[in-house]
Amino acid sequence: MTRILDVDNVTLRFGGLKAVSEVNLTLEAGELVGLIGPNGAGKTSIFNLLTGVYPPSSGRITFTRDGKQINLGRKRPHAICRAGVGRTFQNIRLFKQLTALENVEIALQQNNGYSLFTAFTHLPPFARREEEIRERSMELLHRVGLADKALTRARNLPYGDQRHLEIARALATEPTLLLLDEPAAGMNPNETAELTEMIGRLRSEFGLTVLLIEHDMALVMKICERIYVLDHGVVIAEGTPDEVRNNAKVIEAYLGEDVDV
């Protein structure tokens, strides 16, 4: 397999506080890997490091796409997104006043392919590209089951659909690495089951590598091939779902008991 992400001895400090401490983490192309741990363990801080929200205090983050290695620790969020790292957020961050279609179209604009002059003058390349963007946006909405709600304002969508729309918008940035931050948060069991199926399907259809933060252990244990466990900013375990489920440190720090899946 091809290594797509290498987090090498990465630390994140806020003054005297270590939010992340000497973390090592790897992802191979095509994997679906979970990142779990108690609240405040540093999981979202790792996502913020991977997407350029915070630069690492020390260590190196290397992302590989098409054989080219990129040091994510030295890139701004927009550059990391263009390089092929997409994400969703624990707290939904849609453009609530815009339609579902417009939310996806905005994400596709980063690769619009026409000049500012062409956009202002509405020359033919502008019209052609805008039509391509609309068609691609509708295709992505179809993939997440929202094609029939394309013209619905995001704020009027049910909660589960808003989660799906966030995933569609992330896919619109054309990532090879997709970071999902608690995608099942607030969902009922039926919505979670639908989401579980969708994540697996989208990974296959788009050739994605997925890193998933999630507190729903049944979901994590069902779809993840490997799992990292974080506690107080430190990786305390890594392995298959069965290995993690039976790890004494994990049980003590987080799970508390066997997971029923």
Side-chain angles (χ1 to χ4, degrees):
M1 297 180 73
T2 303
R3 180 75 54 84
I4 191 172
L5 181 70
D6 195 343
V7 178
D8 185 16
N9 214 33
V10 166
T11 294
L12 175 64
R13 296 185 183 88
F14 296 108
L17 172 67
K18 280 187 178 181
V20 174
S21 182
E22 299 178 354
V23 163
N24 292 285
L25 182 153
T26 62
L27 289 178
E28 304 293 330
E31 278 193 302
L32 201 165
V33 176
L35 180 61
I36 67 172
N39 288 328
K43 303 182 298 296
T44 296
S45 291
I46 288 179
F47 270 28
N48 287 336
L49 286 164
L50 295 177
T51 53
V53 177
Y54 305 133
S57 302
S58 61
R60 182 180 175 90
I61 304 171
T62 304
F63 172 64
T64 303
R65 183 171 188 174
D66 299 328
K68 180 180 178 181
Q69 291 190 340
I70 302 166
N71 183 356
L72 298 186
R74 296 184 178 179
K75 297 287 186 181
R76 300 290 296 275
H78 70 277
I80 292 174
C81 180
R82 288 193 174 191
V85 181
R87 74 172 292 181
T88 64
F89 294 87
Q90 181 178 351
N91 299 313
I92 295 173
R93 298 186 186 180
L94 297 170
F95 299 107
K96 296 293 184 72
Q97 75 279 14
L98 301 182
T99 66
L101 179 62
E102 289 167 337
N103 268 270
V104 180
E105 287 177 331
I106 285 174
L108 282 165
Q109 289 292 337
Q110 70 167 346
N111 297 313
N112 57 38
Y114 51 73
S115 67
L116 187 61
F117 175 78
T118 300
F120 275 125
T121 56
H122 282 214
L123 291 173
F126 170 83
R128 286 195 298 270
R129 180 55 182 157
E130 287 299 298
E131 181 60 28
E132 290 170 359
I133 287 173
R134 179 163 291 249
E135 290 176 358
R136 178 60 173 163
S137 298
M138 285 301 302
E139 179 189 348
L140 291 170
L141 289 173
H142 175 73
R143 296 288 188 96
V144 300
L146 294 178
D148 61 337
K149 299 176 181 177
L151 301 182
T152 302
R153 293 187 187 275
R155 66 173 176 236
N156 295 330
L157 290 171
Y159 180 82
D161 286 347
Q162 290 188 30
R163 287 285 182 190
H164 289 193
L165 179 55
E166 263 215 323
I167 293 174
R169 190 176 62 178
L171 291 173
T173 66
E174 300 182 354
T176 54
L177 172 60
L178 180 62
L179 311 178
L180 300 176
D181 194 347
E182 296 197 35
M187 288 188 172
N188 63 43
N190 288 337
E191 290 172 331
T192 299
E194 181 181 349
L195 176 73
T196 302
E197 183 278 330
M198 186 176 74
I199 291 172
R201 173 172 52 81
L202 293 176
R203 175 178 66 148
S204 176
E205 290 176 355
F206 288 86
L208 297 169
T209 304
V210 180
L211 182 60
L212 169 78
I213 293 175
E214 186 52 66
H215 283 292
D216 187 321
M217 287 299 97
L219 186 158
V220 171
M221 296 293 175
K222 182 174 182 178
I223 67 173
C224 292
E225 290 129 9
R226 289 192 299 123
I227 300 170
Y228 286 90
V229 186
L230 205 65
D231 188 31
H232 293 94
V234 177
V235 174
I236 61 171
E238 181 266 328
T240 66
D242 281 342
E243 289 169 342
V244 166
R245 183 188 288 112
N246 296 300
N247 186 294
K249 289 183 178 179
V250 177
I251 293 170
E252 179 182 357
Y254 186 43
L255 296 180
E257 58 185 35
D258 290 341
V259 177
D260 184 15
V261 295

